[in-house]
Amino acid sequence: QNDWERSRAQREREERLLVTAWYNMGLALQQQEGGTAASRGVPSGAQSFLAQQRLATVARRTRVPHGRAPSS
C-alpha cells in the first residue's frame, strides 16, 4: 500500500512537471513569435495559430486566379 502511494505521488509530480514544461515552452514560443510579428507590423493579438490560419485562408480566397480577370 505504501509503495503504491509513493509511486502514485511520483507519477503526479512527473505529470505536473511535464505540463509545466509544455506550458512554459508554448509561452516562450508565443512570446518569440509575438516579437517577430511586431517587427513586421502585425498586431500581436493576431498571432495565435488559428488566427494565422484564418488570415492565410482569407488571403487565398481574395487572391485572383492566375490568368483570369476579377469578376464584377
Side-chain angles (χ1 to χ4, degrees):
Q1 182 80 16
N2 197 15
D3 287 342
W4 182 82
E5 289 175 3
R6 262 193 301 236
S7 175
R8 183 176 59 92
Q10 178 68 25
R11 279 194 313 272
E12 288 175 357
R13 280 192 299 273
E14 290 172 355
E15 184 176 339
R16 281 194 301 269
L17 284 171
L18 282 169
V19 168
T20 302
W22 274 107
Y23 175 81
N24 289 338
M25 186 176 71
L27 187 61
L29 288 171
Q30 187 176 26
Q31 288 172 346
Q32 179 184 4
E33 183 63 30
T36 57
S39 67
R40 291 187 311 241
V42 177
S44 62
Q47 288 310 299
S48 72
F49 173 78
L50 291 176
Q52 291 174 3
Q53 296 306 307
R54 284 188 208 103
L55 291 173
T57 300
V58 168
R60 272 196 310 274
R61 287 181 181 162
T62 58
R63 193 177 334 145
V64 177
H66 181 68
R68 293 187 182 180
S71 58
S72 306

